[in-house]
Amino acid sequence: MSRNEPFGIYIHIPYCRSKCRYCDFYSAPGARGVPQAYVDALLRELAKNTRRPDTLYFGGGTPALLSPGQVSTLIQAADPLPGAEITLEANPDVVTPETLLGFRQAGVNRISFGVQSADDAQLQRLGRTHTAAGAARALAWAQEAGFPDICGDIMLALPQYTNAEFDRTLALLQNGGCTHISAYLLKVEPGTAFYRNPPAGLPDADAAADFYLYAVRQLEAAGYRQYEISNFARPGHEGRHNLLYWNCEPYRGIGPAAHSCVDNVRRFWPGDVQGFIDGTIHEEIEGDCTAEDYLLMQLRLTRGLDLEEYARRGGHFTAAQQAFMRQCVTHGYAVWEGSSFRLTPAGMVVQNAILTELI
């Protein structure tokens, strides 16, 4: 691994006050915050790291359940490089003006709020515990705390969804000073409350595609440039940490259910909080990062796949696959320019189908 390559550390905070009805991420009850024993286990693993990161990401779960003091201790232990991007995910109803100021003073420079919708009935349906007014307050507090990057999530194609709901949510995030917006379609995943009891009024696939394409247009018009299938940013505010994943660059994940890719080998931690605290579980090898992984990740990006780099990594398209790619261009699903093959927004809607043909 070259020392000139970007390198990131992901710290998983699995604790949540409650489980959202659509969530299939690994989590644990955390009504009283994050136990110090868990923070100590993170510090134990951070002490084994030998490389300073230029991105540090607190994901979850609900990382904002950490105290500012705990965040400060973890950042110091990670020892990020000067100018590192340091992100912390938050729920609007978990933060206060004091904790946000504390996170900022600890070194966090990118705060990411799971807003999802500006419709209170929808938020309740999703199992979210905040309101639209609460989200607006949290965004205002983040601005007051001086975060240079404020991010917000929007969920699309929710039950009984309308373009008007999207417009209200976008306005809430714009007014809250968001420099980055993630907009993604609801997926009903196995093991979730929505999977066990599907909500009424879910849009069909065609309607969901229309909502996605409408969101892309509206976000672009509002000054948020699309750079990845679900991510939009004002120029210069793209998420550097997630770009590590999509560019197949090295990152280390710490915590139960966290993943890593270092020296082209993918690893993961088993989902076991107590085992992680006790030190009885360890990272397990998932496999090598392959040319197919690179293809999967790069076609998420609006700049697309560099065919020369793909070939350098051992990738190859058959004559039949190349003919399919040309068909994608003809039908408006892709653009092929020189050595770059990239999907259009219409192509991103059917990305899985396109990848099935290319892998």
Side-chain angles (χ1 to χ4, degrees):
M1 181 170 62
S2 167
R3 290 280 157 173
N4 294 323
E5 279 184 301
F7 174 68
I9 292 178
Y10 171 86
I11 295 178
H12 189 60
I13 307 298
Y15 298 93
C16 285
R17 287 181 175 173
S18 63
K19 187 86 167 177
C20 297
R21 295 190 176 100
Y22 56 84
C23 181
D24 69 333
F25 293 148
Y26 179 75
S27 63
R32 294 187 178 88
V34 179
Q36 186 58 39
Y38 185 79
V39 175
D40 291 341
L42 292 172
L43 293 171
R44 178 191 68 214
E45 297 303 323
L46 281 169
K48 300 174 185 177
N49 183 59
T50 59
R51 183 173 173 191
R52 298 178 72 186
D54 39 25
T55 68
L56 179 61
Y57 194 104
F58 292 88
T62 311
L65 289 172
L66 289 162
S67 71
Q70 289 173 324
V71 170
S72 178
T73 299
L74 289 166
I75 291 174
Q76 291 177 44
D79 193 22
L81 290 165
E85 176 193 86
I86 303 176
T87 306
L88 185 136
E89 294 179 345
N91 285 354
D93 60 324
V94 167
V95 298
T96 65
E98 293 75 24
T99 58
L100 284 169
L101 184 59
F103 294 147
R104 182 71 190 99
Q105 291 173 340
V108 176
N109 51 31
R110 194 167 182 269
I111 190 86
S112 182
F113 289 105
V115 173
Q116 317 307 6
S117 175
D119 183 282
D120 286 347
Q122 190 75 270
L123 291 169
Q124 190 172 28
R125 194 178 294 122
L126 294 171
R128 303 295 292 175
T129 51
H130 67 274
T131 62
R137 278 196 304 273
L139 290 166
W141 293 337
Q143 290 181 84
E144 292 168 5
F147 285 95
D149 274 300
I150 301 173
C151 313
D153 291 353
I154 302 178
M155 294 189 77
L156 310 172
L158 298 170
Q160 303 168 33
Y161 203 66
T162 64
N163 286 338
E165 181 177 339
F166 173 84
D167 291 341
R168 291 195 300 274
T169 310
L170 174 56
L172 188 156
L173 297 181
Q174 277 187 286
N175 294 338
C178 284
T179 55
H180 185 285
I181 294 177
S182 298
Y184 50 95
L185 294 165
L186 170 68
K187 292 183 180 178
V188 179
E189 302 283 5
T192 64
F194 270 2
Y195 186 81
R196 293 187 293 273
N197 296 290
L202 279 174
D204 62 20
D206 288 342
D210 288 341
F211 286 130
Y212 174 80
L213 294 173
Y214 178 82
V216 171
R217 291 193 300 270
Q218 294 298 98
L219 284 159
E220 292 276 3
Y224 296 93
R225 184 182 66 87
Q226 185 178 25
Y227 68 100
E228 191 267 347
I229 189 169
S230 300
N231 284 276
F232 306 76
R234 299 208 182 280
H237 294 273
E238 296 81 4
R240 285 160 48 193
H241 184 84
N242 283 343
L243 279 166
L244 294 178
Y245 304 155
W246 301 321
N247 287 323
C248 291
E249 291 174 325
Y251 61 92
R252 185 175 302 282
I254 301 175
H259 288 250
S260 299
C261 185
V262 178
D263 296 329
N264 223 39
V265 177
R266 297 190 179 278
R267 293 179 169 83
F268 71 95
W269 288 90
D272 179 352
V273 167
Q274 195 56 50
F276 180 75
I277 291 173
D278 295 340
T280 57
I281 63 168
H282 306 281
E283 275 192 298
E284 299 180 14
I285 293 179
E286 189 173 8
D288 291 341
C289 184
T290 66
E292 286 188 356
D293 292 322
Y294 184 73
L295 168 67
L296 287 166
M297 293 293 104
Q298 291 288 284
L299 283 184
R300 296 181 64 93
L301 297 171
T302 56
R303 72 158 187 264
L305 174 70
D306 184 320
L307 301 178
E308 294 176 356
E309 176 64 16
Y310 181 55
R312 191 187 69 77
R313 291 171 178 257
H316 170 72
F317 291 124
T318 65
Q321 287 173 325
Q322 291 182 49
F324 171 76
M325 292 162 73
R326 287 191 289 271
Q327 288 180 348
C328 288
V329 173
T330 299
H331 293 291
Y333 294 125
V335 175
W336 196 337
E337 294 174 332
S339 67
S340 172
F341 180 79
R342 57 185 174 84
L343 301 184
T344 63
M348 287 181 173
V349 169
V350 293
Q351 185 202 43
N352 287 341
I354 291 173
L355 290 171
T356 298
E357 296 293 330
L358 297 181
I359 294 178

